[in-house]
Amino acid sequence: MNRTVISIISLMAFLSAFPQAASIKVGYDYVMNLDGQLRKDDYILLSGQQQSMFFNPTALQMDITSKDDAARQAYGAMAARLMEAGRGDEVPNRAVSMYVFKDFEKQSKTVYDDFSDQFAVYDEPFDQMKWDIIEDSTKTVLGYECVKAVADYHGRDWTVWFAPEIPINDGPWKFAGLPGLILLATDSTGLHSFVANGLESSGAKIPGMPRADWYHKEDRIKYLQARYKYLQDPLADIAGGNLPPNAKVFVNGQQTTRDELRRRFLKILDAGYDFLETDYHDK
């Protein structure tokens, strides 16, 4: 057992009386592979004895900043300067803004997710994810010998690799329930994957959801159905649905039209894109 794992185990024991403290911090690349075109986004998992938080660090910082008037004004001025310089794509944004909280005592997950101006929060129990462990199949990830496990979860077949040497019942996104930290997860289509890029012991406080006031309770299936409808025509509800096809709009600092934006999204859907969960199609 290496020093990192020893320190993690020791810190976990020391922090067991502090439910808001993490014992480990893990960085993950969330990779989407669409027809060979890769998109990579950063996520962090802060995991402790009783709870964990999975989040994008840029979204977290922006959500914290949104509560401070001076910080909001500074962000607005910076964004305006970049857009005037034709560098709108460099403006930090909340394009990757999903949060997943796990409560290991209650065996439940709470997910905060949003698109456009729709902000939804929903809960689900751990037992919706059932694993089959393939003990004779191993892979080395970040120097740790990992064991294979598979699950059919909310419409996708997932293969993950967990490290028994790191005795933490957690992983990226909604993954949990295995006797070791999940370091790699890939769906059977190859479209979605989570890949650990580093880990360290941590006594950091788990910050919690900074803008819970933005979100309303929603059914998971209904939320995903509404999000898919949005992808089919992102501006359908603007101006009462009467926005002209050639109307100019700005998206992430870039000028486009309703028709151009719709064609862009439909091209992605036609190439096979779908969400991490696909069971909403069956409802």
Side-chain angles (χ1 to χ4, degrees):
M1 184 177 294
N2 62 39
R3 295 180 190 173
T4 300
V5 175
I6 292 173
S7 65
I8 290 171
I9 295 173
S10 299
L11 192 58
M12 285 172 61
F14 176 75
L15 293 173
S16 60
F18 301 90
Q20 300 296 324
S23 58
I24 189 170
K25 176 182 179 180
V26 191
Y28 289 92
D29 292 327
Y30 165 49
V31 183
M32 186 180 73
N33 184 348
L34 191 61
D35 280 351
Q37 298 295 314
L38 300 182
R39 170 175 170 166
K40 185 183 296 185
D41 293 304
D42 297 329
Y43 273 95
I44 290 173
L45 173 69
L46 288 175
S47 187
Q49 285 285 299
Q50 294 171 308
Q51 60 184 225
S52 71
M53 175 179 178
F54 183 72
F55 60 96
N56 171 263
T58 299
L60 176 65
Q61 186 56 47
M62 291 190 68
D63 288 349
I64 293 173
T65 297
S66 71
K67 302 170 80 171
D68 182 272
D69 289 340
R72 285 202 309 272
Q73 291 173 7
Y75 171 81
M78 176 268 294
R81 288 195 300 270
L82 287 173
M83 286 191 286
E84 287 175 3
R87 297 162 56 192
D89 58 340
E90 297 178 28
V91 178
N93 61 72
R94 297 182 72 261
V96 184
S97 53
M98 173 182 60
Y99 295 82
V100 180
F101 293 87
K102 303 186 187 92
D103 187 316
F104 298 110
E105 290 188 335
K106 296 180 179 178
Q107 291 287 287
S108 67
K109 310 163 190 174
T110 300
V111 179
Y112 294 85
D113 206 357
D114 65 273
F115 68 92
S116 185
D117 60 349
Q118 304 298 310
F119 290 75
V121 56
Y122 59 87
D123 302 311
E124 67 178 72
F126 275 15
D127 61 12
Q128 291 187 5
M129 186 175 288
K130 301 183 185 300
W131 297 105
D132 290 321
I133 298 175
I134 316 299
E135 295 185 356
D136 60 352
S137 186
T138 62
K139 178 195 292 283
T140 300
V141 183
L142 290 181
Y144 295 95
E145 184 175 272
C146 295
V147 178
K148 181 179 179 179
V150 296
D152 179 357
Y153 177 69
H154 289 176
R156 288 193 182 275
D157 295 322
W158 288 93
T159 296
V160 306
W161 300 87
F162 68 94
E165 192 176 359
I166 308 176
I168 294 176
N169 172 13
D170 208 349
W173 188 46
K174 298 182 179 181
F175 298 124
L178 288 167
L181 179 67
I182 296 170
L183 296 178
L184 174 63
T186 305
D187 88 288
S188 60
T189 69
L191 177 59
H192 301 285
S193 62
F194 295 91
V195 185
N197 56 40
L199 59 86
E200 61 187 28
S201 59
S202 173
K205 179 180 178 180
I206 297 175
M209 184 64 207
R211 295 310 310 245
D213 56 310
W214 287 347
Y215 296 79
H216 64 274
K217 282 287 187 179
E218 183 59 273
D219 176 80
R220 179 183 66 87
I221 294 294
K222 290 181 179 178
Y223 169 74
L224 292 174
Q225 289 172 338
R227 188 172 183 177
Y228 189 77
K229 182 178 179 181
Y230 170 80
L231 288 183
Q232 292 174 309
D233 191 351
L235 303 178
D237 296 329
I238 302 298
N242 296 317
L243 188 70
N246 61 348
K248 301 295 183 182
V249 295
F250 282 86
V251 178
N252 293 334
Q254 301 295 317
Q255 181 175 283
T256 184
T257 68
R258 175 183 176 179
D259 267 5
E260 288 171 351
L261 188 62
R262 186 169 184 268
R263 283 194 295 268
R264 189 188 312 168
F265 277 64
L266 288 177
K267 183 178 180 181
I268 294 173
L269 293 175
D270 289 343
Y273 174 75
D274 209 337
F275 305 137
L276 286 160
E277 298 158 291
T278 62
D279 55 340
Y280 67 95
H281 290 298
D282 304 325
K283 305 298 183 179

